[in-house]
Amino acid sequence: MSEFKHNNEYNPGIQSGLYDKSRSARAFRSRKEETRYWILLMTLFLLGVLATYGLLVYNNPVPVDSPSFLPVVKRRLTAIIAMIISAVCQSLATVAFQSSTNNRIITPSLLGFEALYGTIHTSTMFFFGAGVFLKFSGVGPFLFQITVMVIMCLILYGWLLSGKYGNLQLMLLVGIIIGTGLKSVSSFMRRLLAPSEFDVLQARLFGSVNNADAEYFPVAIPIVIIAAVLILAHSKKLNVLSLGKSASNSLGVHHKSGVIYTLILVSVLMSVSTSLVGPLTFFGFLVATMAYQAAPTYDHRYVFPMALAIGFLVLTGSYFFMYHIFRAQGVVSVIIELFGGITFLVVMLRKGTL
């Protein structure tokens, strides 16, 4: 007993409270924060479900007891499924991408997914005409777009991250340059199109859940489920990767292989989302930024569900209000992109750097 007292007298850590038993390595700093997190998460999911129910049955011109009621609901259900797929892909991909790159401003769109999507459709219209362009739909072209996008990203990762002089910053820079170049080529080809062809093309390049075809779901849903499960199972390693290269390597997580694995899953999710509904440039950034504010933790096991709930609510709530309240069906994605762009500018100006 006297020895223990003697050690305490000359141990400033114990006397100063350094070994406070109230401290822990849990995801939340307190029970109150954890309770608030779960309440907010469940509230967001319930609001998303409520908005989904409103999209399915609200303002349905067909009576409930009519045989035509279910076919109308089924047509609306196609848009709902597209919203769920987009929310899963964009939210998980953006959070994982920002964590692996250790930067909360850049998004997967910088790697040129949307530019490549626009180039594929513009080239089809430019070289083969409107007839072939309108037939460029179905499971085959859908898988072709996904495959091309994923292959482009794998080449980019393999070249810039596995090479002797490769690094993440160089990869992002090359991705921006490739995306800008593809947009310039697409813009040049669109200027040479006839006005009627340009109108048909522009409708396809405009991001909207109405672009989704139920024929794609048997292919898209399994891909998204597999990629989402893998990225959720990767949450603990993402916690370490987000600390940076030096910290992750010292903690036993190989940084380069972990980043490449994450970016492959990100490329799959982004390819499916872009091929299904079109480009949504700032939607992922908006959802990720709101998730960081709503979830008082850095643990991805809790950030990912919050991002999913917010993404699902943003899409379903926006489409419900624009469709049934303001009667402005064509401007939903414009409004989402507008708020996402404003959020991007605010965050970037507050941060002061990329």
Side-chain angles (χ1 to χ4, degrees), residues 114-321:
E114 297 165 0
L116 183 60
Y117 172 85
T119 303
I120 291 174
H121 287 282
T122 304
S123 301
T124 303
M125 175 68 80
F126 182 80
F127 290 108
F128 302 104
V132 175
F133 177 81
L134 293 175
K135 294 180 181 179
F136 189 71
S137 60
V139 176
F142 178 71
L143 287 175
F144 171 76
Q145 294 177 68
I146 295 176
T147 304
V148 171
M149 292 181 187
V150 173
I151 289 176
M152 185 197 74
C153 293
L154 291 179
I155 294 174
L156 192 64
Y157 303 154
W159 173 42
L160 296 175
L161 291 181
S162 301
K164 180 179 179 181
Y165 303 103
N167 58 69
L168 197 59
Q169 287 72 27
L170 181 61
M171 184 202 73
L172 295 173
L173 179 60
V174 172
I176 294 173
I177 294 173
I178 292 176
T180 303
L182 290 175
K183 287 181 180 178
S184 299
V185 173
S186 300
S187 178
F188 174 75
M189 289 190 291
R190 285 197 294 270
R191 290 179 181 273
L192 299 179
L193 295 175
S196 57
E197 294 177 336
F198 179 83
D199 291 339
V200 175
L201 174 64
Q202 199 65 23
R204 185 73 63 87
L205 298 180
F206 189 75
S208 174
V209 295
N210 294 323
N211 293 335
D213 192 337
E215 185 182 1
Y216 303 157
F217 293 158
V219 177
I221 292 176
I223 295 176
V224 171
I225 290 176
I226 293 173
V229 169
L230 291 176
I231 209 167
L232 289 172
H234 193 55
S235 296
K236 291 185 178 180
K237 288 189 176 180
L238 276 174
N239 294 340
V240 181
L241 291 175
S242 61
L243 299 175
K245 182 177 181 179
S246 300
S248 60
N249 287 332
S250 63
L251 291 173
V253 177
H254 193 268
H255 184 265
K256 182 179 292 186
S257 61
V259 169
I260 292 177
Y261 177 77
T262 304
L263 294 181
I264 290 173
L265 295 177
V266 168
S267 66
V268 172
L269 291 173
M270 288 298 297
S271 299
V272 172
S273 174
T274 306
S275 300
L276 186 65
V277 302
L280 296 171
T281 307
F282 291 109
F283 171 67
F285 177 83
L286 175 64
V287 170
T289 303
M290 294 174 66
Y292 298 143
Q293 301 298 320
T297 178
Y298 289 92
D299 195 333
H300 288 78
R301 293 174 299 174
Y302 300 96
V303 177
F304 279 140
M306 183 62 72
L308 281 171
I310 293 175
F312 179 59
L313 177 59
V314 167
L315 279 179
T316 55
S318 299
Y319 273 92
F320 175 79
F321 279 100

Side-chain angles (χ1 to χ4, degrees), residues 56-57 60 68-78 80:
L56 289 175
V57 301
N60 194 328
S68 301
F69 180 79
L70 286 180
V72 173
V73 171
K74 288 182 179 179
R75 285 198 298 269
R76 294 184 177 187
L77 187 61
T78 300
I80 297 296

